[in-house]
Amino acid sequence: MKAVILKKGREASVLRHHPWVFSGAIEKAVGEPAAGETVRVRAHDGRNLGIGGYSPDSQIRVRIWSFDGTERIDTAFFRKRLAMAVEARRSTVSRSTGNAVRLVYGESDGLPGLIVDRYGEYLVCQFLYTGVEFWKATLVEALREVCPCKGIYERSDVAVRAKEGLAETTGTLYGQTPPESIEMVENGCVYRVDVCRGHKTGFYLDQSRNRARVAELAAGRDVLNCFSYSGGFGVAALMGGARFAVNLDASRAALELAAVNFALNGYGDEHYENLCGDAFDLLRRLQEDGRRFDMVILDPPKFADSRRHLVRAARAYKDIALQGSKLLRPNGLLVNFSCSGAIEPGLFQKITADAVLDAGRSGQIIDYLSQAEDHPVALSFPESMYLKGLICRIT
Ligand code: SAH
């Protein structure tokens, strides 16, 4: 079998079961492996460390499928890994009332670069690197067996594929093409999801548990749902007894879908308002207009793609938290999120603290939030933890 040989002393992270082998750790590739091809990973002294998928154009040159030196990478292997992932959700995901769930979360499920979300009877996948691209037909076949469905749709229209030398692509991989809108249920709320054109695979499933938490705290409150996308937190808040919800987003299409979602759950426009525009401007405009809220939710897109953008991102997070805090009535709740993996929880807490202080307010953290349990964090792969949230009572 083709192989990569690591430089002397560079085997430590693989021995700790971290699935990425960076190009800088590799002394040489033996046998000229092609993109996605399976290679044996060997230490400098020849020790067999595992087996992975080769990615000639990427800084992450190998992603390891298995640390068991004897395992074979074939249909049976993928069937087993997929079945483990699906079974893990069955036994630990508490969304008993829902019909949408992340079934496979890449490296955390031992399937680097593969995302599979289930929305009702359809599966939506992302193939984020050459290894899963190479095995796509096998994976689709195995998925159909492990998780019978009406159709499997691919949403590999993501920029990270470029780092792997892969073009963006979308389309039906099996069965029926999903309809323009699928109705999903989460925490007793109903949402329309456009899995073919919506953000990510159609919905931000990672916030599922946090939407439930917001619902618990929402009773009687005026809520600002900033970066609302299709209204997820806003609907959840009204279901939890909120008085009124304002959704704010730069995307008109997202707000149109939010209007549909509010109506689906029985809320007319006496219960909510949609504001379209740039949050950095609109948060200031709301202050000038004297608007005040009892809960401000800030769930912006990823401001830091990598550590290189850390300073700029920290400034952006601080600015919105500062503006959001100013809009809160005394004892209001600031629900502040960051989905940038590069921003560590400790730093995010400091940014939030600085913002609240600069707003001339003080506060207490009453809850620490993270990504939902169907986005597990492999202990050997801390990079899979990215979503952080703080609920602060602001006085
Ligand atoms: N809270 C949502 C997910 C938010 S994703 C949920 O639970 O479903 C981030 C959203 O921010 C996207 O909908 C995107 O359109 C919006 N967005 C990005 N930049 C923005 C900006 N500068 N001002 C307002 N909205 C923005």
Side-chain angles (χ1 to χ4, degrees), residues 199 202-208 211 225-234 248-252 254 275-282 297-303 337 339:
H199 294 186
F203 203 68
Y204 290 85
L205 296 174
D206 53 355
Q207 289 284 22
S208 164
R211 281 187 285 266
N225 180 20
C226 189
F227 306 97
S228 65
Y229 185 47
S230 59
F233 278 108
L248 191 166
D249 203 282
S251 157
R252 197 164 293 283
L275 295 178
C276 188
D278 182 8
F280 292 88
D281 300 334
L282 286 181
I297 300 159
L298 301 169
D299 184 22
K302 189 156 73 171
F303 286 147
F337 292 103
C339 62

Side-chain angles (χ1 to χ4, degrees), residues 12-329:
S13 92
V14 182
L15 289 171
R16 285 199 304 270
H17 289 192
H18 192 286
W20 291 353
V21 180
F22 285 94
S23 58
I26 294 175
E27 181 156 298
K28 62 176 177 191
V30 182
E32 291 183 26
E37 208 176 327
T38 304
V39 289
R40 171 92 40 224
V41 178
R42 292 195 183 280
H44 196 259
D45 60 11
R47 258 177 307 158
N48 178 359
L49 301 174
I51 192 166
Y54 191 70
S55 204
D57 295 328
S58 174
Q59 289 282 86
I60 306 171
R61 194 56 49 88
V62 178
R63 299 195 198 207
I64 298 186
W65 293 122
S66 170
F67 298 93
D68 169 354
T70 63
E71 201 155 25
R72 281 172 59 88
I73 308 306
D74 53 16
T75 309
F77 169 83
F78 289 114
R79 209 183 291 129
K80 195 171 74 188
R81 283 279 160 100
L82 288 169
M84 270 170 61
V86 170
E87 180 50 33
R89 272 52 179 189
R90 237 175 244 138
S91 60
T92 55
V93 176
S94 60
R95 247 172 277 159
S96 49
T97 55
N99 66 350
V101 66
R102 173 150 298 185
L103 290 174
V104 178
Y105 179 42
E107 278 76 349
S108 287
D109 283 304
L111 290 165
L114 180 67
I115 303 293
V116 183
D117 290 341
R118 181 164 71 79
Y119 294 96
E121 295 172 294
Y122 292 89
L123 303 183
V124 187
C125 308
Q126 294 181 320
F127 295 82
L128 303 177
Y129 105 107
T130 52
V132 276
E133 184 74 18
F134 184 88
W135 289 99
K136 193 185 277 180
T138 305
L139 281 162
V140 169
E141 197 62 36
L143 252 181
R144 285 172 51 187
E145 280 173 42
V146 169
C147 196
C149 59
K150 266 195 184 162
I152 302 179
Y153 193 78
E154 176 174 17
R155 282 296 304 273
S156 297
D157 48 338
V158 274
V160 289
R161 287 200 22 131
K163 294 187 184 171
E164 298 283 328
L166 297 171
E168 298 187 14
T169 173
T170 61
T172 304
L173 297 175
Y174 156 73
Q176 297 175 23
T177 300
E180 208 168 283
S181 80
I182 294 179
E183 218 156 86
M184 69 165 264
V185 183
E186 177 198 85
N187 307 318
C189 303
V190 187
Y191 299 100
R192 283 256 166 89
V193 183
D194 180 349
V195 299
C196 301
R197 276 165 296 266
H199 294 186
K200 305 224 276 187
T201 62
F203 203 68
Y204 290 85
L205 296 174
D206 53 355
Q207 289 284 22
S208 164
R209 225 172 18 185
N210 302 331
R211 281 187 285 266
R213 186 72 182 110
V214 156
E216 280 173 8
L217 295 165
R221 295 182 191 271
D222 290 324
V223 176
L224 173 61
N225 180 20
C226 189
F227 306 97
S228 65
Y229 185 47
S230 59
F233 278 108
V235 170
L238 287 181
M239 287 293 250
R243 199 159 35 202
F244 194 80
V246 176
N247 297 308
L248 191 166
D249 203 282
S251 157
R252 197 164 293 283
L255 290 172
E256 278 165 14
L257 192 51
V260 170
N261 286 331
F262 278 78
L264 262 180
N265 290 277
Y267 299 110
D269 54 14
E270 69 280 17
H271 292 284
Y272 76 93
E273 180 185 350
N274 283 342
L275 295 178
C276 188
D278 182 8
F280 292 88
D281 300 334
L282 286 181
L283 287 170
R284 290 176 167 80
R285 180 125 27 102
L286 286 166
Q287 280 166 51
E288 287 159 18
D289 293 348
R291 299 282 295 267
R292 292 297 177 266
F293 300 89
D294 310 292
M295 181 186 268
V296 171
I297 300 159
L298 301 169
D299 184 22
K302 189 156 73 171
F303 286 147
D305 260 337
S306 69
R307 276 174 220 284
R308 273 188 302 140
H309 302 127
L310 210 60
V311 173
R312 200 179 62 197
R315 269 197 215 111
Y317 283 116
K318 183 175 167 194
D319 187 57
I320 53 168
L322 168 61
Q323 306 309 329
S325 301
K326 287 186 178 173
L327 288 168
L328 279 167
R329 297 191 182 110

